[in-house]
Amino acid sequence: MSDPTTQPDSVGGAIDDEVTDALADVDTSDAASSVASVLEAMGDEETAEDDAPDEAETDDETISVLEFVLGDERYCLDITYIEQIVERGTVTRIPNSPPFVEGVIDLRGDITTVIDPMETLAADTDGDGDLIVVFDSTQMDDDWSVGWAVDGVRRVSTVSLSAVKESPVDEPWINGVVKRQDDGEFVIWTEPGELMRDGDTT
Protein backbone atom coordinates (compact mmCIF):
# COMPACT_ATOMS: atom_id res chain seq x y z
CA MET A 1 0.00 0.00 0.00
CA SER A 2 1.45 3.39 -0.89
CA ASP A 3 2.50 5.59 2.00
CA PRO A 4 0.03 8.34 2.94
CA THR A 5 1.21 11.92 2.78
CA THR A 6 1.73 13.48 6.19
CA GLN A 7 0.12 16.86 6.83
CA PRO A 8 0.03 19.17 9.84
CA ASP A 9 -2.78 18.40 12.25
CA SER A 10 -5.37 20.46 10.34
CA VAL A 11 -8.24 18.11 11.22
CA GLY A 12 -7.88 18.69 14.95
CA GLY A 13 -6.69 16.61 17.90
CA ALA A 14 -10.18 15.59 19.04
CA ILE A 15 -10.75 13.32 16.05
CA ASP A 16 -7.39 11.62 16.69
CA ASP A 17 -8.41 10.56 20.20
CA GLU A 18 -11.91 9.53 19.14
CA VAL A 19 -10.75 7.35 16.25
CA THR A 20 -7.87 5.82 18.21
CA ASP A 21 -10.21 4.88 21.08
CA ALA A 22 -12.80 3.42 18.72
CA LEU A 23 -10.26 1.21 16.97
CA ALA A 24 -8.13 0.24 19.96
CA ASP A 25 -9.88 -3.08 20.70
CA VAL A 26 -10.40 -4.29 17.14
CA ASP A 27 -8.73 -7.67 16.72
CA THR A 28 -8.06 -8.70 13.14
CA SER A 29 -4.87 -10.66 13.78
CA ASP A 30 -6.20 -13.91 12.31
CA ALA A 31 -7.93 -12.42 9.28
CA ALA A 32 -5.12 -12.91 6.77
CA SER A 33 -4.69 -16.59 7.64
CA SER A 34 -8.47 -17.01 7.41
CA VAL A 35 -8.48 -15.66 3.85
CA ALA A 36 -5.69 -18.04 2.87
CA SER A 37 -7.61 -20.96 4.37
CA VAL A 38 -10.78 -20.01 2.48
CA LEU A 39 -9.03 -19.86 -0.88
CA GLU A 40 -7.15 -23.09 -0.28
CA ALA A 41 -10.28 -24.95 0.77
CA MET A 42 -12.33 -23.62 -2.14
CA GLY A 43 -9.59 -24.55 -4.57
CA ASP A 44 -9.74 -28.16 -3.36
CA GLU A 45 -13.53 -28.33 -3.55
CA GLU A 46 -14.94 -30.54 -6.29
CA THR A 47 -17.56 -29.19 -8.67
CA ALA A 48 -19.76 -32.29 -8.69
CA GLU A 49 -22.66 -30.26 -7.38
CA ASP A 50 -22.88 -28.56 -10.79
CA ASP A 51 -24.46 -31.76 -12.05
CA ALA A 52 -27.16 -31.77 -9.38
CA PRO A 53 -30.73 -30.85 -10.39
CA ASP A 54 -31.92 -27.33 -9.62
CA GLU A 55 -34.31 -28.15 -6.81
CA ALA A 56 -33.99 -24.77 -5.06
CA GLU A 57 -35.06 -22.58 -7.99
CA THR A 58 -38.07 -21.37 -6.01
CA ASP A 59 -35.80 -19.44 -3.61
CA ASP A 60 -33.59 -17.41 -5.93
CA GLU A 61 -33.10 -14.21 -3.92
CA THR A 62 -30.37 -11.97 -5.28
CA ILE A 63 -28.15 -9.23 -3.91
CA SER A 64 -26.04 -6.55 -5.58
CA VAL A 65 -22.38 -6.52 -4.60
CA LEU A 66 -19.34 -4.41 -5.41
CA GLU A 67 -16.32 -6.44 -6.47
CA PHE A 68 -12.96 -4.93 -5.54
CA VAL A 69 -9.30 -5.94 -5.64
CA LEU A 70 -6.71 -6.13 -2.87
CA GLY A 71 -3.33 -7.33 -4.01
CA ASP A 72 -3.92 -10.53 -5.97
CA GLU A 73 -7.28 -11.37 -4.40
CA ARG A 74 -10.86 -10.43 -5.21
CA TYR A 75 -13.50 -9.52 -2.66
CA CYS A 76 -17.04 -8.24 -2.71
CA LEU A 77 -19.46 -6.58 -0.34
CA ASP A 78 -23.10 -5.58 -0.28
CA ILE A 79 -23.48 -2.23 -2.07
CA THR A 80 -25.94 -1.01 0.59
CA TYR A 81 -22.89 -0.50 2.85
CA ILE A 82 -21.28 1.89 0.38
CA GLU A 83 -21.81 5.63 0.37
CA GLN A 84 -19.29 6.60 -2.31
CA ILE A 85 -16.04 5.66 -4.03
CA VAL A 86 -13.42 8.40 -4.27
CA GLU A 87 -9.88 8.76 -5.53
CA ARG A 88 -7.23 8.72 -2.85
CA GLY A 89 -6.27 12.18 -1.66
CA THR A 90 -3.94 13.46 1.03
CA VAL A 91 -4.09 11.27 4.14
CA THR A 92 -3.20 12.70 7.56
CA ARG A 93 -1.69 10.16 9.95
CA ILE A 94 -3.17 9.55 13.40
CA PRO A 95 -0.62 9.21 16.23
CA ASN A 96 -0.64 5.87 18.10
CA SER A 97 -3.26 4.33 15.79
CA PRO A 98 -3.34 0.58 14.94
CA PRO A 99 -1.24 -0.57 11.95
CA PHE A 100 -4.28 -0.99 9.71
CA VAL A 101 -5.30 2.68 10.11
CA GLU A 102 -3.58 4.82 7.49
CA GLY A 103 -5.00 8.09 8.78
CA VAL A 104 -7.87 10.42 7.99
CA ILE A 105 -9.01 12.41 4.97
CA ASP A 106 -11.35 15.37 4.66
CA LEU A 107 -14.18 14.65 2.23
CA ARG A 108 -15.99 17.96 1.81
CA GLY A 109 -15.86 18.62 5.54
CA ASP A 110 -16.56 15.04 6.59
CA ILE A 111 -13.56 13.49 8.38
CA THR A 112 -13.19 9.87 7.19
CA THR A 113 -10.84 7.28 8.68
CA VAL A 114 -8.88 5.41 6.00
CA ILE A 115 -8.36 1.71 6.71
CA ASP A 116 -5.76 -0.41 4.94
CA PRO A 117 -7.56 -3.77 4.52
CA MET A 118 -4.33 -5.30 3.20
CA GLU A 119 -3.31 -5.45 6.86
CA THR A 120 -6.37 -7.52 7.77
CA LEU A 121 -7.80 -9.26 4.71
CA ALA A 122 -5.20 -9.94 2.07
CA ALA A 123 -1.88 -11.71 1.65
CA ASP A 124 1.64 -10.29 1.71
CA THR A 125 1.52 -8.55 -1.68
CA ASP A 126 1.47 -4.76 -1.67
CA GLY A 127 -1.02 -2.71 -3.65
CA ASP A 128 -1.46 0.94 -4.51
CA GLY A 129 -4.66 1.76 -2.62
CA ASP A 130 -5.58 4.36 -5.24
CA LEU A 131 -9.31 4.28 -4.47
CA ILE A 132 -11.21 4.59 -1.21
CA VAL A 133 -14.54 2.82 -0.70
CA VAL A 134 -16.37 4.99 1.83
CA PHE A 135 -18.95 3.19 3.96
CA ASP A 136 -22.34 4.55 4.95
CA SER A 137 -22.00 5.14 8.70
CA THR A 138 -25.72 4.51 9.26
CA GLN A 139 -25.41 1.04 7.71
CA MET A 140 -22.29 0.35 9.76
CA ASP A 141 -23.95 1.47 13.01
CA ASP A 142 -21.05 3.85 13.62
CA ASP A 143 -20.89 7.54 14.47
CA TRP A 144 -17.70 8.02 12.49
CA SER A 145 -17.02 7.64 8.78
CA VAL A 146 -14.72 4.86 7.56
CA GLY A 147 -13.28 4.01 4.16
CA TRP A 148 -11.21 1.12 2.81
CA ALA A 149 -8.22 1.84 0.57
CA VAL A 150 -8.49 -0.64 -2.32
CA ASP A 151 -6.36 -1.32 -5.38
CA GLY A 152 -9.24 -1.35 -7.84
CA VAL A 153 -12.98 -1.66 -8.31
CA ARG A 154 -14.07 -4.20 -10.90
CA ARG A 155 -17.84 -3.96 -11.17
CA VAL A 156 -21.20 -4.12 -9.48
CA SER A 157 -22.81 -7.49 -10.06
CA THR A 158 -25.89 -9.41 -9.00
CA VAL A 159 -25.32 -12.56 -6.96
CA SER A 160 -27.88 -15.27 -6.40
CA LEU A 161 -27.87 -16.18 -2.71
CA SER A 162 -28.62 -19.79 -3.58
CA ALA A 163 -25.33 -19.92 -5.48
CA VAL A 164 -23.19 -18.58 -2.61
CA LYS A 165 -20.99 -21.31 -1.16
CA GLU A 166 -20.60 -21.56 2.58
CA SER A 167 -17.18 -20.49 3.76
CA PRO A 168 -14.99 -23.36 5.01
CA VAL A 169 -13.61 -20.94 7.61
CA ASP A 170 -15.88 -19.89 10.47
CA GLU A 171 -15.37 -16.13 10.58
CA PRO A 172 -18.23 -13.65 11.19
CA TRP A 173 -16.82 -11.26 8.59
CA ILE A 174 -17.06 -13.82 5.77
CA ASN A 175 -20.59 -14.27 4.43
CA GLY A 176 -19.53 -16.91 1.92
CA VAL A 177 -17.65 -17.46 -1.31
CA VAL A 178 -18.96 -16.60 -4.76
CA LYS A 179 -17.68 -18.45 -7.83
CA ARG A 180 -17.71 -16.18 -10.86
CA GLN A 181 -19.40 -17.75 -13.87
CA ASP A 182 -17.31 -15.91 -16.46
CA ASP A 183 -13.82 -16.79 -15.25
CA GLY A 184 -14.33 -19.43 -12.52
CA GLU A 185 -12.51 -17.35 -9.90
CA PHE A 186 -13.59 -17.27 -6.27
CA VAL A 187 -14.63 -13.97 -4.71
CA ILE A 188 -14.77 -13.70 -0.92
CA TRP A 189 -17.95 -11.99 0.23
CA THR A 190 -17.00 -9.82 3.19
CA GLU A 191 -19.09 -8.31 5.98
CA PRO A 192 -17.27 -5.05 6.84
CA GLY A 193 -19.40 -4.30 9.89
CA GLU A 194 -18.38 -7.59 11.50
CA LEU A 195 -14.73 -7.15 10.62
CA MET A 196 -14.53 -3.71 12.19
CA ARG A 197 -16.78 -4.38 15.17
CA ASP A 198 -14.81 -4.85 18.37
CA GLY A 199 -15.80 -7.38 20.99
CA ASP A 200 -18.48 -9.14 18.91
CA THR A 201 -18.48 -12.92 18.77
CA THR A 202 -20.86 -15.28 17.06
Side-chain angles (χ1 to χ4, degrees):
M1 193 71 68
S2 55
D3 289 335
T5 303
T6 303
Q7 274 190 335
D9 271 336
S10 56
V11 294
I15 188 67
D16 293 355
D17 295 337
E18 178 183 348
V19 172
T20 301
D21 292 344
L23 296 173
D25 297 326
V26 177
D27 181 11
T28 56
S29 56
D30 294 330
S33 59
S34 297
V35 168
S37 301
V38 169
L39 296 174
E40 182 179 354
M42 296 310 297
D44 293 340
E45 190 175 272
E46 295 184 4
T47 56
E49 59 190 49
D50 293 340
D51 299 327
D54 294 332
E55 297 177 359
E57 291 238 357
T58 53
D59 183 22
D60 199 18
E61 187 179 353
T62 60
I63 189 170
S64 294
V65 298
L66 174 74
E67 291 186 24
F68 59 95
V69 180
L70 292 173
D72 297 328
E73 307 300 347
R74 294 165 69 178
Y75 300 84
C76 67
L77 54 87
D78 188 338
I79 62 170
T80 59
Y81 284 113
I82 301 170
E83 181 176 298
Q84 60 181 320
I85 301 171
V86 298
E87 291 187 358
R88 182 190 185 91
T90 300
V91 178
T92 302
R93 292 187 184 275
I94 304 175
N96 304 316
S97 59
F100 58 86
V101 177
E102 291 197 13
V104 294
I105 57 174
D106 187 343
L107 296 178
R108 296 180 296 278
D110 185 15
I111 302 303
T112 299
T113 303
V114 179
I115 301 295
D116 177 5
M118 290 290 290
E119 292 283 342
T120 57
L121 289 178
D124 296 331
T125 54
D126 290 330
D128 298 325
D130 292 332
L131 296 175
I132 297 176
V133 176
V134 181
F135 296 116
D136 184 342
S137 58
T138 60
Q139 293 291 332
M140 299 284 285
D141 293 326
D142 283 324
D143 295 328
W144 45 289
S145 180
V146 177
W148 278 1
V150 303
D151 298 330
V153 171
R154 296 184 65 89
R155 58 185 170 183
V156 172
S157 59
T158 301
V159 173
S160 171
L161 296 186
S162 62
V164 175
K165 299 177 182 292
E166 184 177 349
S167 170
V169 175
D170 185 17
E171 292 284 359
W173 53 270
I174 300 179
N175 281 337
V177 181
V178 180
K179 185 176 182 181
R180 300 298 324 160
Q181 295 296 325
D182 52 358
D183 54 19
E185 289 191 32
F186 293 110
V187 181
I188 299 177
W189 181 9
T190 63
E191 184 73 22
E194 291 293 342
L195 183 64
M196 299 309 303
R197 186 171 293 120
D198 56 326
D200 266 9
T201 54
T202 343

